Amino acid sequence: MAVATQSTSPYLFVYQNGNSAAFLFFVIALRPRFLAVLAGLALMCASHFTTTHLTGAFDDVTYSGIITFYLTLSIFLAVSAYFLEQKDRQNFLNQLRGTLLCQQLERNAERDELTGLLNRRSLVRIGGMLWNDASGQTAISAILLDIDHFKRFNDVHGHIEGDACIRTVSQCIRATVDEAAFVFRFGGEEILVLAAGREPLQALAMAERIRTAIEGLRITHRGLGDGCVTASLGAASAIAAETTLERLLQKADDALYEAKRLGRNTVVLAKDPGPDAQVA
């Protein structure tokens, strides 16, 4: 249109079709943000009206018709751009909500509803991850614990208080171990702690911290007279390349039974090899 200002052709009106295509291409093909659409349409209209007027090829009525046409076209294009942008934002938000919902469902599927700890369903996945990430002579430790005389606790205090007891003990364990350790509700009142990079003595020390922390809660156990809730723990540690998750858990379970046999409220470290155990 800037070039057209110097033209005296009687067919100059035909070039208006090309300008309409430019408006459509700007809004529909380029699809800028809505504020950019408003600014762009305003600038395009201003430049188009100015250059059209400078050509002097149109009378006042025709020139008014051109202005009316392009203003109407711009309004419709601006409204269309607004609704398209709103639809794009809504689609993005819906997609984001869907992704977050899927992530939440995945987390919930791997969490125990009562305690918030990881559940048995997640054990295989996390166990495989620990073994895949382990390199060379990396040691992996398992601590399996059982709340002492918990059936008697339920019989005396009731299942509601029993659930509260399990929740409190679970929170205590989660607060006692470090962030690199994974804590599972293994079943009933049994809780499992898995951690990589722990030598046997380090696993033993972690288990003893857990035992002391649980005893320090001083949860009343009326089934034991004036006693409080305690736990027995079995710890095992082995090189990842030399064992499997199942064998490591079996060693920790054997050590747990040894801890119960020795009077409970104690920690036993499984020796390697063999089922014998060492009392903490």
Side-chain angles (χ1 to χ4, degrees), residues 230-251:
T230 59
S232 301
L233 300 93
S237 184
I239 302 301
E242 299 174 359
T243 191
T244 62
L245 175 61
E246 291 74 17
R247 289 202 295 266
L248 183 63
L249 293 180
Q250 184 60 57
K251 289 173 59 178

Side-chain angles (χ1 to χ4, degrees), residues 207-228:
E208 179 59 25
R209 288 198 304 272
I210 294 172
R211 186 201 65 79
T212 303
I214 294 174
E215 187 177 24
L217 292 173
R218 308 302 298 176
I219 300 174
T220 301
H221 193 325
R222 293 196 300 272
L224 301 177
D226 295 330
C228 63

Side-chain angles (χ1 to χ4, degrees), residues 31 82-100:
R31 292 193 66 178
Y82 174 79
F83 284 110
L84 282 174
E85 184 169 316
Q86 289 299 107
K87 184 177 180 181
D88 287 342
R89 290 184 177 182
Q90 190 63 45
N91 290 338
F92 173 76
L93 290 176
N94 290 337
Q95 183 179 4
L96 182 61
R97 290 192 190 100
T99 301
L100 293 175

Side-chain angles (χ1 to χ4, degrees), residues 130 149 245:
L130 290 176
H149 302 291
L245 175 61

Side-chain angles (χ1 to χ4, degrees), residues 18-219:
N19 290 324
S20 300
F23 277 65
L24 294 172
F25 177 81
F26 169 67
V27 175
I28 297 175
L30 297 183
R31 292 193 66 178
R33 300 294 294 271
F34 178 67
L35 292 179
V37 168
L38 293 180
L41 289 175
L43 290 173
M44 292 176 72
C45 284
S47 62
H48 182 61
F49 296 157
T50 301
T51 53
T52 300
H53 179 71
L54 291 176
T55 61
F58 307 109
D59 56 38
D60 291 342
V61 174
T62 303
Y63 182 67
S64 298
I66 292 174
I67 292 177
T68 301
F69 171 78
Y70 277 101
L71 286 178
T72 303
L73 178 64
S74 297
I75 290 172
F76 276 106
L77 288 176
V79 171
S80 299
Y82 174 79
F83 284 110
L84 282 174
E85 184 169 316
Q86 289 299 107
K87 184 177 180 181
D88 287 342
R89 290 184 177 182
Q90 190 63 45
N91 290 338
F92 173 76
L93 290 176
N94 290 337
Q95 183 179 4
L96 182 61
R97 290 192 190 100
T99 301
L100 293 175
L101 180 60
C102 287
Q103 292 175 349
Q104 183 177 0
L105 290 174
E106 289 176 358
R107 285 195 299 269
N108 291 341
E110 293 196 343
R111 293 284 173 179
D112 175 65
E113 186 175 355
L114 176 64
T115 63
L117 301 179
L118 295 166
N119 57 24
R120 289 288 292 269
R121 183 176 181 176
S122 62
L123 180 57
V124 174
R125 180 185 66 81
I126 293 177
M129 180 188 69
L130 290 176
W131 258 258
N132 290 335
D133 292 345
S135 58
Q137 298 298 303
T138 301
I140 296 181
S141 300
I143 299 171
L144 193 59
L145 67 92
D146 187 81
I147 300 176
D148 294 330
H149 302 291
F150 189 70
K151 183 179 183 304
R152 192 182 305 176
F153 185 95
N154 273 335
D155 291 341
V156 175
H157 294 263
H159 290 282
I160 301 300
E161 287 194 38
D163 288 347
C165 175
I166 293 177
R167 279 195 298 268
T168 302
V169 169
S170 299
Q171 294 167 3
C172 174
I173 295 170
R174 181 67 267 181
T176 301
V177 301
D178 53 53
E179 291 296 326
F182 297 92
V183 186
F184 305 82
R185 187 182 182 191
F186 197 65
E189 69 275 15
E190 288 187 328
I191 296 174
L192 169 68
V193 179
L194 276 182
R198 305 295 195 285
E199 299 299 326
L201 292 181
Q202 292 175 314
L204 179 65
M206 181 187 295
E208 179 59 25
R209 288 198 304 272
I210 294 172
R211 186 201 65 79
T212 303
I214 294 174
E215 187 177 24
L217 292 173
R218 308 302 298 176
I219 300 174

